[in-house]
Amino acid sequence: MSKPNRSFEPSPSRRAILAGGTAALLSLCALGPMRDARAQSARLLDAPRAAGTVGERYDGYAVPRGAVSPEIARLIDQVNGERRTVYAERAKNTGAPLEAVGKIYAQEILKSAPAGTWFLGENGQWTRK
């Protein structure tokens, strides 16, 4: 009876699967910020984000920080709907999970957000840019 393979080296078939997943995620990382009409409405969040009434979440969606006006709530819903559409399209085109796409975009949002923007991490903690 042969010894079980206990090395950490993946099998050739497993390497192919890992390479495909890695390629999909790398293609997501190469994405620039949203550059179409949807980005226009996202920029409307800049003032409420700088004021601290709207934050960004680790999964690529905007969230209210406390009570917000009905107009701001509608704007958050509009932006999140547009983002969801972009994320779903990108997920379909790359084969990556929707959640992974949102997290990649969240990193881009963090980079381009104005100073003072609050970010809610997966751990539930708020940090300020």
Side-chain angles (χ1 to χ4, degrees):
M1 186 164 159
S2 65
K3 291 182 185 178
N5 181 2
R6 298 208 186 260
S7 80
F8 292 102
E9 186 67 28
S11 68
S13 61
R14 206 166 167 106
R15 270 194 293 258
I17 292 168
L18 291 171
T22 302
L25 287 176
L26 287 175
S27 70
L28 289 173
C29 291
L31 301 174
M34 295 177 284
R35 292 192 174 129
D36 56 12
R38 292 170 251 199
Q40 297 283 347
S41 61
R43 280 194 283 278
L44 294 174
L45 287 179
D46 284 352
R49 288 190 305 191
T53 56
V54 173
E56 293 289 344
R57 213 168 43 201
Y58 68 92
D59 60 358
Y61 295 101
V63 291
R65 292 192 72 242
V68 295
S69 70
E71 293 82 18
I72 298 295
R74 279 192 297 276
L75 180 59
I76 291 170
D77 288 343
Q78 175 187 342
V79 169
N80 284 341
E82 291 170 357
R83 289 179 182 180
R84 195 171 299 107
T85 299
V86 170
Y87 302 166
E89 182 179 315
R90 185 60 68 170
K92 179 181 172 190
N93 291 340
T94 63
L98 182 64
E99 297 79 23
V101 174
K103 288 180 179 182
I104 298 286
Y105 271 98
Q107 294 169 6
E108 293 299 318
I109 291 166
L110 172 61
K111 289 178 192 174
S112 64
T117 300
W118 287 92
F119 289 88
L120 182 60
E122 277 188 272
N123 63 1
Q125 298 296 309
W126 285 100
T127 57
R128 195 167 196 184
K129 178 176 179 182

